[in-house]
Amino acid sequence: VPHRSWLALVVIDVADLDRGAAFWAAALRGRVVQQPFGEGIYLSVAVPTGAGEFTLLMQQVPEAKTARTRVHLDIATDGLDAEVARLEQLGATRQRTVRERGVRFVVLEDPDHNEFCVIPGRRDDDWPSW
Amino acid sequence: VPHRSWLALVVIDVADLDRGAAFWAAALRGRVVQQPFGEGIYLSVAVPTGAGEFTLLMQQVPEAKTARTRVHLDIATDGLDAEVARLEQLGATRQRTVRERGVRFVVLEDPDHNEFCVIPGRRDDDWPSW
Protein backbone atom coordinates (compact mmCIF):
# COMPACT_ATOMS: atom_id res chain seq x y z
CA VAL A 1 0.00 0.00 0.00
CA PRO A 2 1.59 3.32 -0.98
CA HIS A 3 1.80 5.98 1.67
CA ARG A 4 2.92 9.58 1.79
CA SER A 5 5.02 11.59 4.25
CA TRP A 6 6.23 15.13 4.57
CA LEU A 7 8.05 17.54 6.87
CA ALA A 8 5.30 18.67 9.20
CA LEU A 9 6.78 20.95 11.84
CA VAL A 10 9.54 21.69 14.31
CA VAL A 11 8.89 20.94 17.96
CA ILE A 12 10.49 23.18 20.60
CA ASP A 13 10.68 22.03 24.22
CA VAL A 14 9.63 24.75 26.64
CA ALA A 15 8.83 25.06 30.31
CA ASP A 16 5.85 27.38 29.71
CA LEU A 17 3.71 27.01 26.58
CA ASP A 18 2.35 30.54 26.57
CA ARG A 19 5.73 32.15 27.12
CA GLY A 20 7.37 30.07 24.40
CA ALA A 21 4.58 30.65 21.90
CA ALA A 22 4.47 34.38 22.64
CA PHE A 23 8.21 34.70 22.08
CA TRP A 24 8.31 32.80 18.78
CA ALA A 25 5.15 34.46 17.48
CA ALA A 26 6.61 37.89 18.18
CA ALA A 27 10.01 36.92 16.79
CA LEU A 28 8.62 35.69 13.48
CA ARG A 29 5.27 37.48 13.12
CA GLY A 30 3.52 34.16 13.70
CA ARG A 31 0.00 33.26 14.76
CA VAL A 32 -0.55 31.33 17.98
CA VAL A 33 -2.92 28.44 17.26
CA GLN A 34 -4.32 26.20 19.99
CA GLN A 35 -5.51 22.83 18.79
CA PRO A 36 -7.94 21.16 21.19
CA PHE A 37 -5.87 17.97 21.10
CA GLY A 38 -2.84 19.65 22.54
CA GLU A 39 -4.35 21.61 25.40
CA GLY A 40 -1.84 21.86 28.22
CA ILE A 41 0.95 20.03 26.44
CA TYR A 42 1.30 21.65 23.00
CA LEU A 43 0.77 25.08 21.51
CA SER A 44 1.44 25.94 17.85
CA VAL A 45 2.85 29.05 16.23
CA ALA A 46 2.11 29.28 12.48
CA VAL A 47 4.98 31.22 10.93
CA PRO A 48 4.83 32.87 7.49
CA THR A 49 7.62 31.80 5.14
CA GLY A 50 6.68 33.67 1.98
CA ALA A 51 5.12 30.50 0.57
CA GLY A 52 2.54 29.34 3.07
CA GLU A 53 3.20 28.84 6.74
CA PHE A 54 5.53 26.64 8.72
CA THR A 55 4.58 25.39 12.16
CA LEU A 56 6.67 25.65 15.29
CA LEU A 57 5.09 23.52 17.99
CA MET A 58 5.82 24.33 21.62
CA GLN A 59 5.94 21.19 23.75
CA GLN A 60 5.84 21.52 27.50
CA VAL A 61 8.51 19.46 29.26
CA PRO A 62 9.44 19.30 32.93
CA GLU A 63 13.20 19.11 32.61
CA ALA A 64 15.53 22.02 31.97
CA LYS A 65 18.07 22.18 29.19
CA THR A 66 21.42 20.62 30.08
CA ALA A 67 23.40 20.53 26.82
CA ARG A 68 23.97 22.40 23.59
CA THR A 69 20.91 22.45 21.30
CA ARG A 70 21.82 20.11 18.43
CA VAL A 71 18.92 21.12 16.20
CA HIS A 72 18.24 24.85 16.04
CA LEU A 73 16.45 27.56 14.08
CA ASP A 74 18.15 30.29 12.09
CA ILE A 75 16.45 33.64 11.56
CA ALA A 76 17.75 35.58 8.55
CA THR A 77 17.74 39.36 8.43
CA ASP A 78 18.92 42.31 6.39
CA GLY A 79 19.61 44.24 9.61
CA LEU A 80 21.68 42.09 11.94
CA ASP A 81 22.21 44.40 14.89
CA ALA A 82 18.68 45.80 14.79
CA GLU A 83 17.22 42.31 14.66
CA VAL A 84 19.31 41.09 17.59
CA ALA A 85 18.22 44.13 19.60
CA ARG A 86 14.58 43.47 18.69
CA LEU A 87 14.82 39.84 19.79
CA GLU A 88 16.52 40.79 23.06
CA GLN A 89 13.59 43.10 23.75
CA LEU A 90 11.30 40.10 23.23
CA GLY A 91 13.11 38.01 25.83
CA ALA A 92 16.01 36.43 23.96
CA THR A 93 19.51 36.47 25.41
CA ARG A 94 22.56 37.18 23.32
CA GLN A 95 25.13 34.43 23.76
CA ARG A 96 27.94 35.35 21.39
CA THR A 97 28.89 36.82 18.03
CA VAL A 98 30.58 34.53 15.54
CA ARG A 99 32.66 35.49 12.55
CA GLU A 100 33.09 32.58 10.17
CA ARG A 101 34.69 32.89 6.75
CA GLY A 102 33.95 36.59 6.76
CA VAL A 103 30.28 36.23 7.70
CA ARG A 104 29.15 37.63 11.02
CA PHE A 105 26.21 36.07 12.83
CA VAL A 106 24.88 36.08 16.38
CA VAL A 107 23.94 33.15 18.62
CA LEU A 108 21.07 33.85 21.02
CA GLU A 109 18.93 31.82 23.41
CA ASP A 110 15.15 31.83 23.54
CA PRO A 111 13.46 32.16 26.96
CA ASP A 112 14.00 28.41 27.46
CA HIS A 113 17.71 28.71 26.68
CA ASN A 114 17.34 26.93 23.35
CA GLU A 115 20.01 28.40 21.07
CA PHE A 116 19.08 29.97 17.76
CA CYS A 117 21.05 32.14 15.34
CA VAL A 118 20.48 35.40 13.53
CA ILE A 119 22.27 35.32 10.19
CA PRO A 120 22.59 37.87 7.39
CA GLY A 121 20.19 37.40 4.48
CA ARG A 122 18.54 39.12 1.55
CA ARG A 123 15.19 38.64 -0.09
CA ASP A 124 13.69 40.56 -3.00
CA ASP A 125 9.96 40.10 -2.41
CA ASP A 126 7.66 42.45 -0.50
CA TRP A 127 8.36 40.88 2.89
CA PRO A 128 7.32 43.37 5.59
CA SER A 129 9.82 45.27 7.69
CA TRP A 130 9.80 45.86 11.45
CA VAL B 1 16.20 52.21 9.67
CA PRO B 2 13.59 49.50 9.09
CA HIS B 3 14.83 45.97 8.65
CA ARG B 4 13.27 42.63 7.83
CA SER B 5 13.70 39.13 9.24
CA TRP B 6 12.25 35.69 8.59
CA LEU B 7 12.58 32.05 9.53
CA ALA B 8 15.40 30.88 7.28
CA LEU B 9 16.18 27.27 8.09
CA VAL B 10 16.75 24.57 10.67
CA VAL B 11 20.33 23.57 11.46
CA ILE B 12 21.05 19.94 12.38
CA ASP B 13 24.36 19.02 14.04
CA VAL B 14 25.97 15.98 12.44
CA ALA B 15 29.29 14.18 12.59
CA ASP B 16 29.38 13.57 8.82
CA LEU B 17 27.86 16.11 6.40
CA ASP B 18 27.32 13.69 3.53
CA ARG B 19 25.74 11.04 5.69
CA GLY B 20 23.42 13.53 7.38
CA ALA B 21 22.40 15.19 4.12
CA ALA B 22 21.85 11.84 2.38
CA PHE B 23 19.62 10.66 5.20
CA TRP B 24 17.44 13.77 5.34
CA ALA B 25 17.24 14.10 1.56
CA ALA B 26 16.05 10.50 1.28
CA ALA B 27 13.69 10.85 4.23
CA LEU B 28 11.96 13.93 2.81
CA ARG B 29 12.59 13.75 -0.96
CA GLY B 30 14.93 16.73 -0.59
CA ARG B 31 17.68 18.06 -2.82
CA VAL B 32 21.23 18.22 -1.48
CA VAL B 33 22.65 21.68 -2.22
CA GLN B 34 26.27 22.60 -1.56
CA GLN B 35 26.90 26.30 -1.21
CA PRO B 36 30.53 27.28 -1.79
CA PHE B 37 30.54 29.21 1.47
CA GLY B 38 29.84 26.16 3.54
CA GLU B 39 32.25 23.66 2.06
CA GLY B 40 33.39 21.26 4.75
CA ILE B 41 31.25 22.69 7.51
CA TYR B 42 27.70 22.97 6.13
CA LEU B 43 25.59 21.10 3.59
CA SER B 44 21.97 22.00 2.78
CA VAL B 45 18.98 19.84 2.01
CA ALA B 46 16.13 21.72 0.29
CA VAL B 47 12.91 19.99 1.32
CA PRO B 48 9.59 20.39 -0.52
CA THR B 49 6.73 21.50 1.70
CA GLY B 50 3.91 21.83 -0.80
CA ALA B 51 4.47 25.60 -0.93
CA GLY B 52 8.10 26.14 -1.87
CA GLU B 53 11.01 24.53 -0.09
CA PHE B 54 12.30 24.59 3.44
CA THR B 55 15.99 24.21 4.17
CA LEU B 56 17.57 21.79 6.61
CA LEU B 57 21.22 22.70 7.04
CA MET B 58 23.64 20.02 8.19
CA GLN B 59 26.37 21.46 10.39
CA GLN B 60 29.44 19.40 11.12
CA VAL B 61 30.35 19.33 14.80
CA PRO B 62 33.02 17.35 16.61
CA GLU B 63 31.13 16.43 19.74
CA ALA B 64 28.61 13.63 20.07
CA LYS B 65 25.11 14.05 21.38
CA THR B 66 24.82 13.82 25.16
CA ALA B 67 21.27 14.86 26.00
CA ARG B 68 17.72 14.74 24.75
CA THR B 69 17.18 16.81 21.57
CA ARG B 70 15.13 19.81 22.72
CA VAL B 71 14.26 21.05 19.24
CA HIS B 72 13.23 18.32 16.80
CA LEU B 73 11.53 17.68 13.47
CA ASP B 74 8.22 15.89 13.02
CA ILE B 75 7.47 14.00 9.82
CA ALA B 76 3.75 13.49 9.17
CA THR B 77 2.43 10.49 7.27
CA ASP B 78 -0.75 8.70 6.25
CA GLY B 79 0.98 5.34 6.74
CA LEU B 80 2.68 5.28 10.11
CA ASP B 81 4.15 1.79 10.20
CA ALA B 82 5.22 1.83 6.55
CA GLU B 83 6.89 5.21 7.00
CA VAL B 84 8.77 4.09 10.11
CA ALA B 85 9.96 0.99 8.24
CA ARG B 86 11.07 3.14 5.30
CA LEU B 87 13.05 5.46 7.57
CA GLU B 88 14.68 2.54 9.37
CA GLN B 89 15.83 1.27 5.96
CA LEU B 90 17.41 4.71 5.42
CA GLY B 91 19.43 4.53 8.62
CA ALA B 92 17.08 5.78 11.32
CA THR B 93 16.69 3.90 14.58
CA ARG B 94 13.33 3.37 16.21
CA GLN B 95 13.43 4.56 19.82
CA ARG B 96 9.90 4.06 21.09
CA THR B 97 6.20 4.22 20.28
CA VAL B 98 4.13 6.74 22.18
CA ARG B 99 0.38 6.76 22.65
CA GLU B 100 -0.86 10.13 23.81
CA ARG B 101 -4.52 11.06 24.09
CA GLY B 102 -5.41 8.31 21.66
CA VAL B 103 -2.84 9.32 19.04
CA ARG B 104 -0.02 6.90 18.30
CA PHE B 105 3.33 8.23 17.07
CA VAL B 106 6.88 6.91 16.90
CA VAL B 107 10.12 8.49 18.13
CA LEU B 108 13.18 7.69 16.02
CA GLU B 109 16.79 8.84 15.88
CA ASP B 110 18.61 9.98 12.75
CA PRO B 111 22.11 8.59 12.08
CA ASP B 112 23.49 11.22 14.50
CA HIS B 113 21.06 10.14 17.23
CA ASN B 114 19.03 13.33 16.92
CA GLU B 115 15.47 12.40 17.82
CA PHE B 116 12.61 13.07 15.43
CA CYS B 117 9.02 11.85 15.38
CA VAL B 118 6.72 10.30 12.81
CA ILE B 119 3.17 11.42 13.48
CA PRO B 120 -0.14 10.63 11.76
CA GLY B 121 -1.32 13.23 9.24
CA ARG B 122 -3.59 13.79 6.27
CA ARG B 123 -3.28 16.08 3.28
CA ASP B 124 -5.64 16.42 0.33
CA ASP B 125 -3.33 17.71 -2.39
CA ASP B 126 -1.46 15.59 -4.97
CA TRP B 127 1.57 15.01 -2.74
CA PRO B 128 3.50 12.00 -4.13
CA SER B 129 3.50 8.64 -2.40
CA TRP B 130 6.43 6.31 -1.74
Side-chain angles (χ1 to χ4, degrees):
Chain A
V1 186
H3 75 281
R4 306 184 299 170
S5 64
W6 56 94
L7 178 62
L9 45 86
V10 170
V11 183
I12 300 177
D13 285 6
V14 300
D16 180 314
L17 292 173
D18 292 320
R19 182 183 67 178
F23 172 77
W24 284 105
L28 294 166
R29 211 179 249 118
R31 295 185 296 118
V32 178
V33 184
Q34 176 67 74
Q35 279 143 336
F37 165 80
E39 184 120 34
I41 45 174
Y42 298 115
L43 187 55
S44 293
V45 179
V47 172
T49 63
E53 291 179 322
F54 190 78
T55 297
L56 304 180
L57 182 70
M58 306 300 127
Q59 167 174 257
Q60 191 155 319
V61 298
E63 74 277 13
K65 185 191 156 201
T66 58
R68 170 194 165 79
T69 306
R70 288 183 58 93
V71 177
H72 72 262
L73 302 179
D74 271 14
I75 296 176
T77 182
D78 53 13
L80 195 67
D81 296 318
E83 177 66 6
V84 170
R86 188 182 73 86
L87 293 164
E88 287 182 296
Q89 286 281 99
L90 296 177
T93 309
R94 179 198 290 252
Q95 198 187 78
R96 67 186 185 279
T97 297
V98 179
R99 189 176 285 276
E100 185 177 66
R101 300 187 181 179
V103 175
R104 185 167 69 95
F105 64 92
V106 181
V107 183
L108 297 97
E109 294 181 6
D110 76 4
D112 288 276
H113 305 293
N114 295 310
E115 290 102 341
F116 66 99
C117 295
V118 178
I119 63 173
R122 296 274 157 197
R123 59 190 301 158
D124 51 17
D125 60 6
D126 61 349
W127 195 258
S129 56
W130 299 110
Chain B
V1 184
H3 75 282
R4 306 183 299 170
S5 63
W6 57 94
L7 177 62
L9 45 86
V10 170
V11 183
I12 300 178
D13 285 6
V14 300
D16 181 314
L17 292 174
D18 292 318
R19 183 184 66 180
F23 172 76
W24 285 105
L28 294 166
R29 210 178 252 117
R31 293 184 298 118
V32 178
V33 184
Q34 176 66 72
Q35 279 143 336
F37 165 81
E39 184 119 32
I41 45 175
Y42 298 116
L43 188 55
S44 292
V45 178
V47 173
T49 62
E53 291 180 320
F54 191 77
T55 297
L56 304 180
L57 183 70
M58 306 301 126
Q59 167 175 255
Q60 192 156 316
V61 299
E63 74 277 14
K65 184 191 158 202
T66 58
R68 172 194 164 80
T69 305
R70 287 182 59 92
V71 177
H72 71 263
L73 302 178
D74 272 14
I75 296 176
T77 183
D78 54 13
L80 194 69
D81 296 317
E83 178 64 6
V84 170
R86 189 183 71 87
L87 293 164
E88 287 182 295
Q89 286 281 100
L90 296 177
T93 308
R94 180 198 288 253
Q95 198 186 81
R96 65 186 187 280
T97 297
V98 179
R99 188 176 285 278
E100 186 177 67
R101 298 186 182 179
V103 176
R104 183 168 70 95
F105 63 92
V106 180
V107 183
L108 296 97
E109 295 181 6
D110 76 5
D112 287 276
H113 306 295
N114 295 311
E115 289 101 343
F116 66 98
C117 296
V118 178
I119 63 173
R122 296 277 157 195
R123 58 190 302 160
D124 52 17
D125 59 8
D126 61 351
W127 194 258
S129 56
W130 298 109

